[in-house]
Amino acid sequence: FGMGFLLPLLSWTATFVGPLPWVALTVAESVFVGLAGAGMAVVSRLPGWPVWAAAVWIAGEALRGRVPFGGLPWGRVGFGQPDGPLLPVAAIGGEPLLSFVAVLAGLALGELGRRAVALRSTDEAGPRSLAAPALVVVAALAAGPLAGLVPPSPGEGGAAGAGRTVTVAAIQGNVPRLGLDFNAQRRAVLDNHVRVTEQLAAEVAAGARARPDLVIWPENSSDISPLRNPDAADAIDRAARAIGAPVLVGTVLSNDDGTTTNSALVWQAGTGPVARNDKRRVQPFGEYIPWRDFFRFFSPYVDRGGNFVPGPGPGAVDMAGVRVGIAICWEIAFDDLVAESVDAGATLLAVPSNNATFGLSEMTYQQLAMSRVRAVEHDRPVVVATTSGVSAIIAPDGAVTGRTGQFEPGILVDQPALRDTTTLATRWRSIPEWVLVALSVGAVGTAVVARRRARRGREDEHG
């Protein structure tokens, strides 16, 4: 099941590095799915087994999202629910509880179907045999609408800029070509984003669009460091002056020790960078290569991997009086990173990304689905800005209010209302997930003990 699920899901990893790394990654991640499946089989004979089996599945997702090399949370069930009726559950217990309720509903429906078939073939089971799974299904499906009735709690301390509407723009400058080699034309990528920003400025001057209070550029929008290259700094400053608003610029910065950081700079016209946020969780086998000598046997692209290091900080910056939380690209998949940004006072979430490497694959849509879940989870508007698409602006209820196409320039301008409330998911953070993990461990332990006792009882009966 793990291979059947993850092989197509992660097919974008093979777009430009070949099938071997893709298959190897799928096999490794499928081991966690297999472990979860084994645990679900163990608890399948307990009363109310769908509840315990769903908890075991969440334990498997929790483990896969943390190890190895920091984990790969891609493919968690909750991330597949942005268009489903259960989405509001994310505001109660985050993505883990959303996953749990979705899995529980699926397992209960399966059990309901099994019992219905059994009733047809035998008269021994009465109508009450359908009651338990039916109630579970009804409760799970009702959880979504009920979650919308849970009011968020007021924010503590009053985040700067909350309670007002902000005009925000997302710029998608596009890239010269698909694939890994787009980095070879770094200046063209920067020039594209400068040009599209100046186009927005012209539309604002003509009255066709509202003037933005802040502008979000994507990850890698200026891979030429503006701190070391005056021409790049001049180009960015020209765009910021034209639009008359601070610009969040995705760039790559070199450190004195030979390492690099994937950074986002708040660029103020005439001043330059006034705030900085470094990527806090860098991507293995992309931004850095663990065990480089070993993995070189599997792919020649290993030597093209970077030497990035994570940076410190709360994952939030101030722009035009607005506290903006930043999750750079795949950071949106990690519960703790997004929660830390909100805890740091973010009233708006920005997801600057660069998906050009993965071509016309489903990767960008998978990331967009995660961003929609995060909007509901923390009751925050989300701005997704990518170099090549899909960029989007997402309302706190998870609805996409605007989006671009792929591999074409694009501009998005919207006026989301800022929020300083905190949902139950924001306050509880990882507590629901750990409660479900504890339930799964207890259920597996109980099932193992029950099986041993039953085996001993049979042995005693037979002398």
Side-chain angles (χ1 to χ4, degrees):
F1 175 81
M3 291 290 292
F5 171 56
L6 293 172
L7 199 66
L9 182 83
L10 301 176
S11 59
W12 47 268
T13 61
T15 305
F16 293 102
V17 298
L20 186 57
W22 165 40
V23 174
L25 174 64
T26 300
V27 171
E29 294 299 310
S30 296
V31 170
F32 296 98
V33 179
L35 289 173
M40 294 168 77
V42 170
V43 302
S44 63
R45 299 194 179 210
L46 293 177
W49 74 266
V51 175
W52 317 121
V56 171
W57 179 268
I58 301 309
E61 288 192 341
L63 183 62
R64 187 166 66 86
R66 289 171 171 82
V67 294
F69 313 121
L72 182 66
W74 234 261
R76 295 161 75 185
V77 170
F79 288 146
Q81 304 302 311
D83 290 310
L86 302 176
L87 179 60
V89 173
I92 300 176
E95 191 283 334
L97 186 62
L98 177 58
S99 278
F100 172 77
V101 174
V103 173
L104 175 59
L107 293 175
L109 281 168
E111 176 65 5
L112 187 64
R114 187 192 68 80
R115 294 192 184 189
V117 171
L119 281 175
R120 285 187 174 185
S121 60
T122 178
D123 293 329
E124 294 180 3
R128 290 183 61 189
S129 65
L130 295 177
L135 288 174
V136 170
V137 172
V138 171
L141 294 178
L146 289 176
L149 301 179
V150 179
S153 299
E156 298 179 4
R164 68 180 176 90
T165 298
V166 63
T167 303
V168 59
I171 300 297
Q172 180 176 304
N174 204 15
V175 298
R177 58 175 176 262
L178 285 70
L180 293 172
D181 289 336
F182 86 93
N183 284 309
Q185 299 189 31
R186 295 176 295 171
R187 183 52 195 256
V189 175
L190 171 58
D191 289 343
N192 285 352
H193 286 84
V194 171
R195 183 176 61 255
V196 175
T197 303
E198 291 175 333
Q199 175 188 336
L200 171 60
E203 294 177 5
V204 170
R209 292 185 189 263
R211 181 176 297 279
D213 298 305
L214 53 95
V215 178
I216 308 297
W217 281 12
E219 176 190 30
N220 301 126
S221 49
S222 178
D223 269 356
I224 303 173
S225 170
L227 303 186
R228 298 195 176 196
N229 297 272
D231 58 333
D234 290 343
I236 296 170
D237 200 69
R238 186 174 73 249
R241 286 198 310 271
I243 196 60
V247 180
L248 187 72
V249 180
T251 188
V252 174
L253 303 179
S254 299
N255 302 317
D256 293 336
D257 61 359
T259 60
T260 51
T261 57
N262 187 338
S263 304
L265 302 177
V266 178
W267 197 278
Q268 196 78 38
T271 303
V274 295
R276 169 179 169 176
N277 177 81
D278 295 336
K279 196 170 188 178
R280 292 162 287 163
R281 193 159 299 160
V282 294
Q283 182 182 2
F285 305 103
E287 292 173 311
Y288 81 100
I289 304 294
W291 305 349
R292 192 182 294 261
D293 291 339
F294 172 74
F295 286 109
R296 190 176 287 116
F297 290 108
F298 297 94
S299 174
Y301 287 99
V302 163
D303 290 326
R304 301 183 66 173
N307 191 23
F308 285 78
V309 294
V317 296
D318 292 314
M319 297 182 67
V322 177
R323 190 69 167 165
V324 179
I326 301 177
I328 299 177
C329 200
W330 89 318
E331 287 186 321
I332 196 66
F334 293 89
D335 300 346
D336 58 327
L337 297 183
V338 183
E340 286 172 5
S341 294
V342 177
D343 284 347
T347 56
L348 172 75
L349 297 176
V351 188
S353 303
N354 175 20
N355 300 331
T357 300
F358 306 108
L360 295 168
S361 70
E362 292 296 312
M363 185 272 186
T364 190
Y365 298 102
Q366 294 167 5
Q367 194 175 63
L368 177 61
M370 298 178 195
S371 300
R372 294 176 63 188
V373 172
R374 296 304 186 199
V376 175
E377 183 175 358
H378 297 289
D379 194 35
R380 295 290 186 272
V382 179
V383 180
V384 180
T386 74
T387 52
S388 58
V390 171
S391 302
I393 296 180
I394 304 167
D397 65 356
V400 177
T401 60
R403 59 183 292 177
T404 65
Q406 280 187 285
F407 291 97
E408 61 185 27
I411 299 172
L412 296 173
V413 179
D414 203 352
Q415 295 180 319
L418 302 179
R419 306 291 185 96
D420 65 352
T421 55
T422 56
T423 64
L424 292 175
T426 303
R427 285 181 286 155
W428 288 345
R429 295 197 53 169
S430 61
I431 290 177
E433 182 179 41
W434 288 117
V435 169
L436 292 170
V437 170
L439 286 175
S440 72
V441 172
V444 170
T446 300
V448 169
V449 170
R451 285 191 179 189
R452 288 180 177 176
R453 287 179 176 175
R455 187 181 301 114
R456 289 176 183 172
R458 290 192 297 269
E459 291 175 352
D460 292 342
E461 288 179 3
H462 293 84

